[in-house]
Amino acid sequence: MKTIPVLLALVPLGLAACGGSSPTATTGVSHAAQTAARNYQAAGTDMSGVIAQYRTDTTTMLDVSSCQAIEAAYQAKMAPLVDRMSTTSVAMDPYMSSAMGPAVADMACVAAAMKAELARHAAVACTLSGVDADRAEAAQHAATVAALAQHQYVRYEQMGDAMGMMTPTADSTWTCKVNADGTFTFGGQTWTPPQTPPTPSTTPAPTPNPTPYPWPMPCGGMMCPCDGSWGPGTSGSTDGGPPWMPGGMM
């Protein structure tokens, strides 16, 4: 039999019956903030999936023709996602600023870096000296975009934590600044996406290191969803708990 942890005693009574008939909106977190967080979660989840698939596909490409086919499919998915990430980042930065201060409201900055890196990569993909060089370019691009996406993941976690929409996080990352000359500064290091090879070095890795971690859904309070949909087996949980906590904290 599962036991209910002591943490439940700290949750307001109006939020304790998630998935039931109780109200689902949390006090102190606006509907606009919840919506922005959910949109960001969806964009981040989709982007992580596209990056992972691209990494898999490019490790097996055999020639220029297969490289071009893989690249075309990737660009068709990734370019709209980068635009989406840019739009949602502009919406998220004000919440990040109010939650943690303007110095870390840099999600739009990183989205701009993503766009610059995608344009750089598109200009050189499948045009190098051979398939090995094309694979190396693809791997470097994937690593760079993954690091940028992981930064966005950590910022999203931090905002959700600060606003009471997610569980606390110990993850950390660098800060991003767009410079007047179009370069970026990541954690004190200048990053310039060149227009031709060689590829840029991988961006500084956040903690945890870049991997396609599942992006947690925001909730409407410490343990409740924004839409009241949690129930047995929903929202990525196998037992009705929050999808970011194995076992649903129960």
Side-chain angles (χ1 to χ4, degrees):
M1 178 180 294
K2 293 183 178 181
T3 59
I4 299 176
V6 176
L7 179 60
L8 280 179
L10 303 178
V11 180
L13 293 177
L15 299 179
C18 298
S21 59
S22 62
T24 58
T26 185
T27 57
V29 180
S30 70
H31 176 70
Q34 292 178 353
T35 299
R38 294 176 73 182
N39 288 342
Y40 210 78
Q41 190 271 348
T45 297
D46 290 348
M47 184 172 284
S48 292
V50 170
I51 294 169
Q53 186 62 55
Y54 180 70
R55 278 176 153 162
T56 298
D57 292 344
T58 52
T59 57
T60 59
M61 62 189 184
L62 300 175
D63 50 32
V64 173
S65 178
S66 61
C67 177
Q68 290 172 336
I70 291 167
E71 192 64 33
Y74 169 71
Q75 290 285 342
K77 293 177 181 177
M78 194 63 171
L81 275 175
V82 169
D83 288 340
R84 193 167 133 206
M85 180 68 77
S86 297
T87 300
T88 52
S89 292
V90 169
M92 289 288 281
D93 272 345
Y95 296 112
M96 194 69 205
S97 181
S98 65
M100 296 187 66
V104 294
D106 61 0
M107 294 158 112
C109 177
V110 173
M114 283 182 172
K115 185 167 286 192
E117 166 58 16
L118 188 64
R120 181 210 64 78
H121 172 66
V124 300
C126 309
T127 67
L128 304 182
S129 58
V131 70
D132 288 343
D134 288 333
R135 283 199 203 104
E137 161 61 23
Q140 182 63 65
H141 169 71
T144 298
V145 176
L148 295 174
Q150 191 65 15
H151 170 93
Q152 305 292 65
Y153 171 94
V154 173
R155 283 287 185 252
Y156 165 77
E157 279 188 312
Q158 290 172 334
M159 192 215 75
D161 176 8
M163 298 184 73
M165 290 192 288
M166 285 179 231
T167 56
T169 178
D171 293 345
S172 62
T173 189
W174 30 265
T175 56
C176 176
K177 179 184 176 183
V178 182
N179 303 313
D181 62 358
T183 64
F184 298 85
T185 298
F186 296 153
Q189 301 178 40
T190 299
W191 182 73
T192 306
Q195 297 307 303
T196 56
T199 57
S201 60
T202 305
T203 62
T207 301
N209 290 327
T211 57
Y213 289 97
W215 283 58
M217 277 288 288
C219 64
M222 280 294 293
M223 295 186 66
C224 291
C226 297
D227 60 359
S229 63
W230 285 344
T234 63
S235 299
S237 168
T238 57
D239 57 3
W244 63 82
M245 293 292 288
M249 295 181 70
M250 304 291 278

